[in-house]
Amino acid sequence: QVQLLESGGGLVQAGGSLRLSCAASGRTLSINTLAWFRQAPGKEREFVAGINFGYGGSSHADSVKGRFSISRDNVKNTVYLQMNSLKPEDTALYYCAVDGTFRPGVRSDAGSYGYWGQGTQVTVSS
């Protein structure tokens, strides 16, 4: 089992920044990829960014490239999502999730992820 705890969400004005954190505990050696997803009211959950622990590398959705950046602290078993130049359309509940299958690349489909956190709310005002 892997437990995930997100933090760092909040209310920010358009153009502002936030940094989300996802702290992993439990069987952290089983983590291959840790990713961020988001879900806005009435919309499907969508991939935001992910980082592959086993093979290395990361991936960002086109909608956030150049604005968001995912990074990892190996010692703290924590993954961060730095979000800059935030827009109202970034408003959503942000989740972190773990893909435990050892393979290269970063999967963007939610079905590939078996462990999920409870989410942290990000609200961007115009």
Side-chain angles (χ1 to χ4, degrees):
Q1 292 284 341
V2 177
Q3 292 80 43
L4 302 171
L5 182 63
E6 305 98 333
S7 61
L11 173 64
V12 64
Q13 288 188 334
S17 298
L18 284 174
R19 188 178 79 158
L20 305 184
S21 299
C22 175
S25 60
R27 296 184 59 191
T28 56
L29 290 178
S30 68
I31 297 174
N32 182 69
T33 299
L34 198 149
W36 287 96
F37 287 77
R38 66 186 181 186
Q39 188 167 19
K43 295 188 176 181
E44 292 187 354
R45 192 167 297 190
E46 66 171 348
F47 172 81
V48 177
I51 188 164
N52 189 305
F53 286 24
Y55 286 82
S58 63
S59 177
H60 296 75
D62 288 344
S63 59
V64 306
K65 279 181 182 176
R67 300 188 299 122
F68 292 11
S69 178
I70 192 169
S71 63
R72 174 190 175 192
D73 184 324
N74 293 346
V75 175
K76 296 182 179 180
N77 285 322
T78 299
V79 170
Y80 302 100
L81 184 68
Q82 179 66 44
M83 306 188 296
N84 300 325
S85 302
L86 282 160
K87 305 175 181 180
E89 51 263 43
D90 294 318
T91 295
L93 189 59
Y94 283 71
Y95 299 89
C96 60
V98 162
D99 173 7
T101 302
F102 191 66
R103 54 190 166 192
V106 174
R107 309 278 294 191
S108 61
D109 59 303
S112 292
Y113 294 80
Y115 297 102
W116 293 82
Q118 293 299 307
T120 185
Q121 177 68 37
V122 171
T123 302
V124 184
S125 63
S126 57

